[in-house]
Each structure stands twice: as structure tokens, then as C-alpha cells.
Amino acid sequence: MFFRPSVSMEEMINTVDTAFVQDVKEVVVYIEELSENIVTNNSNSHWSGFSLPVVKDGGEYADLLLKHGLSDLERLVLILAMLPDIYPVGLESLERACQSDHNLQLMSRSIRQGGTALLPVGGLVVFLVGEQHRRQVQEALSPGGKLLSHGLINLEKTGNSAPLLSSIVSPTMETSEALLFNRRYQPSYGQDFPAQQLVSRLSWDDLVLPYETHEGLDEVENWLCCHERLDALEGVSRKIKRGYRALFYGPSGTGKTLTATLLGKQFDKEVYHVDLSMMVSKYVGETEKNLKKVFDAAEHRDWILFFDEADALFGKRTNTSSSNDRYANQEVSYLLQRIEDYPGMILLASNFRGNMDQAFLRRFQSMIHFPIPSTEERFKLWTKAFDNEFELAEDVDFRKLAKDYELTGSSISNVLRYCALAALRVGSASINHELILRGIKRERQKEGKSM
């Protein structure tokens, strides 16, 4: 039984981007006319006389075509890849027309709820545009082509030695989310993808950093602001490595992760925290595999990659006294190469700069220190943290608290949470000095320190 929708094509795709709907209709009509011609005249006319309309609409589809600079041929491949999801019966007329020719490999069948669906393969594109365009189709489906390198389609080989044009063409999750639902695809964090997006409701006003740290961040912001123009300067760009690599180092809780998040927020870039603990705990060889997944996903999405506690994997390499040591050093070498080749921004965080491999440090464009806040900085952190719905009792003295207790911004936020919950529990609208001291005591106990 075929996978047949109970509604018309117009009803199925009326919620999808208008310009994309128009392209889908053009391709489906072309396929149906070609199928009828094959049945009636026992011949087929190809790409001549067929063209896709100029996209003027400013929607998601138009933005995608403009961003990636797709040709009509690449647009056709993209539409065919989406067809099983948007109009599953779109290829059935062609299958029936060609069923007598068993040598043609134009589609593959996939089990779906309610029956089976037809999936396009690379050979279908050649059949539609004509043998004279075979080379262009192979180039469009090659790893160096825009569709694959920009993460717009997937190619699934039907066998280890199967030719390229027998591969099933399907959209990536990112393409499906954009064209079907007009939203960005967010990979799910887990063993298969050990990276998680960083988001925050805080702003730069909530972060208190010393002047020297701000000065170091200026260079990072300069690259985020101007790197595209820098790449366009051929005389400069050919002499320097693409991308930017920075090390944030200093004690925990001093704002390294928040800074990475706010940089992404400021320049409208997604920031992904790579979970090194999940990678390095895997079996031998799995680290490379997991790193490859993250880098492959990030490269065409222009993510900022953030590695926290980076010395766990980027620290000083061990002597090769065992096979495990050799594998560990191979993993570090692989990671160094991927980081050097990454065209976007890589941010690494470490508690101690001295723990990092010197060979690796040479690859950084900047190293920025995040120290324990000074007394004046702690005072600002206290006043910013408690500028909220709760009233402060008269005995609260942030100047004294800043002078007496060496806390980081993260610890002060934890004290705020403790005080707010304690006040809400008893129905109080105010916070006093004693309650804040109890919160400080809990923070210091976590660090193994006394009051």
C-alpha cells in the first residue's frame, strides 16, 4: 500500500513558506508532465523548457537560497529531498511510468506509518535534468558541494560500494525545521551529541569584570564584528589562519561561561558548551568520533564553541608509556587540528593557565584572565544581585560584606537564591544581614572554608 495523504497538495502545504510551496508545485507538475509523456510517447524530455521561478519573497526559503547561493539545480535537489515529507505521493506518477524499466534506479522505498513512501536517489536528479548534466549533478551531491558542506541535505549510501548517484537524498533536520516550521533546529544534548546550547537572561550590565579583562575581550569582539570583512581582504586573509581561538582562565565562578554566553547574545550567534567529561569517559577512539560530530555540526552553522575545564583534554600531553597514553595523545592531536581548521570562534576555559599544553597555547589569539573580584567589584556584585523585589533590612551593609568575604559572582548569586527562597518560605518581603550571613556560610562550607 502506498503512503497516500487524505488531503490535496494545497491543503498539505498551506502552512509552509509561500515561495517554497511555489517551487514544490513547479517540480511536482514537471514530474507529472514528464511521467505522462513517458507513458504516451515512450520518451522523456528533460530540463529544457523547465525553470524555477525567481524567488522574491523575503521568507525563510528566500533567505536560505540567498545565504547559500543555490543554483536552480541545487534548488531542485533540495525540493526533491523535502518531497517525501511535504508531499509523499509526488513521485508515484513517475514510478508508475517507469516501472517497466527495471534498470532505472530513481527511488527507494521506506516504511512509514500507514504504508511506504518513495525516497529520491541521486539518479532521479540526473533523470529529470538529462544525462548531459550528470557531471553537474555529481558535483552538487559531492562532499565539496554547497548542499552537503552547508548542511542542507544528507546522503545515505545503499551499500558500501554503491555509486554516489544511488544514494538516498534527504533533508537535514536543520533544513526540515527551517522550511516546514520556520524555526531553528536545536540538536538534542546526549551521548550522541555531547554539546548543549548556552543561554542566559542576564546582560553585560549584570557582569562585573576588571578593566584588564574587558580590554582583552575587546579583541574578541573586534573579530566577531569584523571577521567577514577581514576574510574579504585577500592580501591579509591568505597570510593568517581563519577563525579565532581564545582562552579564558581563572577560578570557578568568575564569569567565564557567562561571558561566552553574552558574546553569542551580543552578536546573534549560538554558543554551544562541549561536554568534555562525556567525551573523555568513552572507550578508546570514541573521543574523536564525538568531537567530529560536534565540529561537523558547528562548522556550517557558525556556532561559538565553548570548552569548559579544558585542561581535562587540552592539558599537558603524557609520555607514551602505554597504548592508552598513545590513544589519548592521538585524540588531543586530532582536536588541535580541528580547532586550528575551525573557521569560527573557539573559547576554552580553564582554572589554571599553567595546566595547559604549551604547544596548544601557541594556537590562541588571546588569553584573558578572569581573577577573583576585588573588594570594589564585590561591592558592585552585591548591589546588582540584590537589586530586586525584596526589601533590604537596615542592618545590611554590602561594603562590609564585600570587604570581609572573598566571594565570586557565582557565589553571590547562590547567596541571593538561598536568601530569596528562605524569605519566600516564611512569607517575608525583606532580607536581613543574618540571613545573608547564613547564605555566605553555606557557600564557604561548599568550598571547604570556615567563616
Side-chain angles (χ1 to χ4, degrees), residues 75-344:
R75 282 168 69 183
L76 174 64
V77 174
L78 193 63
I79 294 161
L80 291 172
M82 290 292 299
L83 210 52
D85 288 317
I86 200 167
Y87 190 57
V89 297
L91 296 175
E92 287 192 2
S93 62
L94 186 60
E95 186 201 35
R96 288 193 295 269
C98 299
Q99 61 186 355
S100 61
D101 191 343
H102 299 292
N103 293 321
L104 280 176
Q105 293 183 343
L106 306 181
M107 306 157 219
S108 177
R109 283 202 171 274
S110 173
I111 303 298
R112 295 231 174 154
Q113 186 178 3
T116 60
L118 292 170
L119 306 180
V121 302
L124 173 62
V125 187
V126 176
F127 185 79
L128 293 178
V129 302
E131 278 293 333
Q132 67 271 28
H133 298 291
R134 174 178 286 267
R135 183 66 176 170
Q136 290 96 309
V137 174
Q138 289 174 325
E139 185 176 346
L141 297 178
S142 69
K146 294 176 184 175
L147 294 169
L148 275 174
S149 63
H150 293 192
L152 299 175
I153 65 167
N154 294 315
L155 281 185
E156 180 186 343
K157 283 197 170 186
T158 53
N160 291 332
S161 58
L164 174 67
L165 294 179
S166 69
S167 301
I168 297 171
V169 184
S170 62
T172 61
M173 289 299 297
E174 184 177 36
T175 299
S176 294
E177 290 284 298
L179 296 183
L180 292 178
F181 308 112
N182 193 28
R183 65 192 181 202
R184 285 182 175 180
Y185 168 62
Q186 303 293 346
S188 299
Y189 170 74
Q191 292 287 351
D192 291 334
F193 192 83
Q196 191 169 25
Q197 187 178 10
L198 294 176
V199 293
S200 177
R201 290 181 292 176
L202 299 177
S203 67
W204 287 113
D205 290 337
D206 299 300
L207 188 62
V208 177
L209 298 172
Y211 173 78
E212 292 78 10
T213 305
H214 276 295
E215 194 175 43
L217 290 173
D218 284 344
E219 188 179 345
V220 176
E221 292 180 8
N222 288 344
W223 187 88
L224 286 168
C225 174
C226 306
H227 70 94
E228 291 179 352
R229 283 180 282 168
L230 179 68
D231 291 341
L233 300 174
E234 186 178 347
V236 177
S237 61
R238 66 187 176 87
K239 299 173 185 175
I240 59 177
K241 277 272 188 184
R242 293 183 67 196
Y244 194 92
R245 292 153 289 280
L247 173 68
F248 295 169
Y249 67 96
S252 298
T254 51
K256 300 185 291 295
T257 302
L258 179 57
T259 296
T261 308
L262 294 179
L263 285 169
K265 196 173 182 178
Q266 178 181 347
F267 292 96
D268 193 27
K269 293 181 182 293
E270 292 174 277
V271 183
Y272 272 79
H273 170 219
V274 182
D275 191 338
L276 290 174
S277 64
M278 187 175 288
M279 289 185 176
V280 297
S281 64
K282 302 288 267 180
Y283 296 108
V284 167
E286 285 293 296
T287 300
E288 283 187 26
K289 179 181 174 183
N290 286 320
L291 285 170
K292 186 178 186 303
K293 285 181 184 177
V294 173
F295 275 97
D296 287 350
E299 281 183 355
H300 61 264
R301 294 182 174 100
D302 199 22
W303 289 346
I304 296 175
L305 291 181
F306 179 73
F307 295 82
D308 198 8
E309 298 180 2
D311 39 344
L313 193 61
F314 305 91
K316 296 177 180 178
R317 282 175 277 190
T318 60
N319 295 323
T320 55
S321 57
S322 69
S323 59
N324 284 339
D325 291 337
R326 285 194 295 274
Y327 278 118
N329 287 342
Q330 285 175 17
E331 290 164 351
V332 172
S333 297
Y334 173 80
L335 184 54
L336 289 175
Q337 190 60 54
R338 289 305 300 256
I339 284 179
E340 275 203 289
D341 294 339
Y342 188 65

Side-chain angles (χ1 to χ4, degrees), residues 378-446:
R378 290 197 293 274
F379 171 71
K380 291 179 181 178
L381 287 167
W382 278 113
T383 54
K384 286 177 181 290
F386 283 79
D387 180 19
N388 50 48
E389 290 84 357
F390 290 94
E391 295 179 3
L392 294 174
E394 292 184 359
D395 61 349
V396 174
D397 185 351
F398 287 141
R399 284 282 180 193
K400 181 171 175 54
L401 291 173
K403 180 181 178 182
D404 291 349
Y405 301 104
E406 193 177 77
L407 297 175
T408 65
S410 177
S411 295
I412 291 172
S413 294
N414 288 339
V415 173
L416 169 64
R417 180 188 291 107
Y418 172 82
C419 293
L421 289 173
L424 289 170
R425 180 69 184 271
V426 298
S428 174
S430 66
I431 293 175
N432 59 31
H433 181 71
E434 181 184 352
L435 184 58
I436 293 176
L437 284 182
R438 290 209 301 268
I440 294 174
K441 181 178 180 180
R442 289 175 62 86
E443 284 301 300
R444 293 182 68 84
Q445 285 175 339
K446 287 193 296 185

